[in-house]
Amino acid sequence: MKNIGSYPNVRLRRNRKTDWSRRLIRENELSANDLILPIFLTEGKNKVVSNEGIHYSVRVPVNYDNTKAHPLLIVYSPAGKHRFASENFIGLTREITSLGIIVAYVNHLPLSMQAFEKFGKIPDSVSVNWCVDVSKVFLAGHSDGGTTALAVNFLNTTKMPINGLIVS
């Protein structure tokens, strides 16, 4: 017995009868108009600044008051990481800023004496734009970032005193 209605002898075309249904089931085409630009919001104010070729991001507390001096934490990035990856790796921005502390995340540079000199100017640069309590400046870092924090403190490349180190 011959079955006349089975594929491939019969191809049902009801789905493609009207223009709107043909557009619905045709091959997909993706264009730039179909894409959505993601926007990531973080708590506090953010400013990206370049200081002698080093980029860094500053996160300030939501209750930031430019008439009150705030403690400052500088976080130097691990080897090969940028400031955003470092912030994501640490994952403490909300907790730190909720304590009223300004946090600056700094991009990585290959370690050298010249780099340590540049890194040492970051706390001073941050204090120009934000109200920083110069008696409460802390440096932190992991991997090369830890080495940088230690070197900046040891070489005394910053104008303000460093009150503590957090290195791993």
Side-chain angles (χ1 to χ4, degrees):
M1 177 173 166
K2 186 174 181 183
N3 188 351
I4 315 177
S6 65
Y7 182 82
N9 295 333
V10 174
R11 293 181 59 208
L12 301 175
R13 299 179 190 269
R14 274 181 290 182
N15 290 343
R16 294 178 278 178
K17 197 177 230 183
T18 60
D19 181 53
W20 71 267
S21 62
R22 284 192 299 277
R23 283 185 284 125
L24 183 66
I25 60 175
R26 74 175 173 207
E27 293 280 334
N28 292 331
E29 295 175 13
L30 186 63
S31 72
N33 295 333
D34 298 321
L35 303 177
I36 298 172
L37 175 66
I39 297 175
F40 301 99
L41 301 177
T42 56
E43 194 169 326
K45 297 176 184 176
N46 176 34
K47 187 171 184 178
V48 177
V49 184
S50 178
N51 179 25
E52 295 193 32
I54 300 176
H55 294 275
Y56 60 93
S57 299
V58 176
R59 306 285 191 239
V60 298
V62 173
N63 61 350
Y64 174 76
D65 180 2
N66 63 358
T67 62
K68 177 185 169 219
H70 296 268
L72 173 64
L73 173 64
I74 305 288
V75 180
Y76 296 104
S77 297
K81 300 292 183 186
H82 54 78
R83 60 194 181 274
F84 302 115
S86 180
E87 180 178 7
N88 191 35
F89 174 73
I90 292 172
L92 293 174
T93 300
R94 177 173 282 163
E95 289 80 2
I96 294 170
T97 56
S98 70
L99 297 172
I101 300 171
I102 299 170
V103 186
Y105 293 96
V106 184
N107 272 3
H108 176 264
L109 285 181
L111 300 182
S112 67
M113 294 305 285
Q114 293 82 14
F116 296 144
E117 290 290 328
K118 290 179 180 182
F119 283 131
K121 294 179 182 175
I122 299 289
D124 303 319
S125 178
V126 172
S127 68
V128 168
N129 296 308
W130 290 274
C131 191
V132 173
D133 184 349
V134 295
S135 68
K136 296 179 181 172
V137 177
F138 305 91
L139 304 180
H142 170 68
S143 177
D144 277 11
T147 303
T148 299
L150 289 170
V152 167
N153 184 54
F154 180 76
L155 298 171
N156 200 22
T157 59
T158 183
K159 293 179 185 173
M160 54 184 72
I162 304 303
N163 302 98
L165 296 170
I166 307 164
V167 297
S168 62

